[in-house]
Amino acid sequence: MNRFWKGAMIVMLSLPHSFAQEKHSLSDLRWLAGCWQMSVKGRTIDEHWMKPSGGTMMGMSHTVKDGKTREYEFMRIVQNDDSSIEFIAKPSGQEQASFKLITLEGNKAVFENPTHDFPQRVIYYTVGTDSLVGRIEGKMNGKERGIDFPYRKVKCE
């Protein structure tokens, strides 16, 4: 075997290790736990996340405008038996949707489901110690679209 093929085999044998997806634990998302709030155009949105426990993080969102509940959402982040992590959302008036964790770097998590209508991605990341951005993005009517939800940390009540 010549030098070229020996080098090529070494590179090929090392590829699976180089591209192996890093395994994460649900506890790597503990920075999301807490109570978060945003107010815009007369609407107040509260999003609460419990700390990881029993292989699950439980969350809920509640939108109030003019003193009435306008929207709500029940959410879970679960660690599956195969160690994959999944974001599961059940928004008011809609079917449940699941998104697999594809990236977790520091305090930024990206969940994706390319077959979902909109959004195809759900993203959470912190800004400093007292701010959280929730973002949904993907294609809608053939155009890329993104919506940010900039929250600030509040006392849980």
Side-chain angles (χ1 to χ4, degrees), residues 37-64:
Q37 185 178 78
M38 68 174 276
S39 294
V40 62
K41 296 181 181 178
R43 292 182 322 163
T44 299
I45 303 172
D46 287 291
E47 189 161 315
H48 297 211
W49 281 98
M50 297 172 72
K51 66 182 179 180
S53 180
T56 305
M57 285 184 76
M58 301 296 294
M60 56 134 316
S61 175
H62 183 218
T63 302
V64 174

Side-chain angles (χ1 to χ4, degrees), residues 73-148:
E73 185 171 8
F74 297 107
M75 302 165 290
R76 294 178 292 148
I77 300 175
V78 298
Q79 182 126 31
N80 297 312
D81 290 339
D82 66 359
S83 294
S84 65
I85 296 176
E86 189 173 9
F87 174 88
I88 303 164
K90 176 70 174 107
S92 52
Q94 297 179 40
E95 292 294 317
Q96 176 175 295
S98 299
F99 303 81
K100 294 275 187 188
L101 179 70
I102 60 165
T103 306
L104 179 56
E105 295 174 354
N107 290 359
K108 182 178 182 181
V110 179
F111 301 89
E112 186 174 67
N113 178 346
T115 64
H116 190 256
D117 54 2
F118 182 86
Q120 288 91 47
R121 283 174 302 287
V122 177
I123 302 164
Y124 282 101
Y125 61 93
T126 58
V127 179
T129 58
D130 65 349
S131 296
L132 174 76
V133 176
R135 179 174 173 81
I136 56 174
E137 61 183 34
K139 284 193 177 183
M140 179 182 263
N141 299 324
K143 295 183 179 182
E144 275 297 318
R145 182 173 176 198
I147 303 169
D148 288 325

Side-chain angles (χ1 to χ4, degrees), residues 5-19:
W5 289 111
K6 282 183 184 176
M9 284 184 64
I10 290 169
V11 169
M12 287 171 45
L13 289 172
S14 67
L15 283 177
H17 177 72
S18 300
F19 291 116

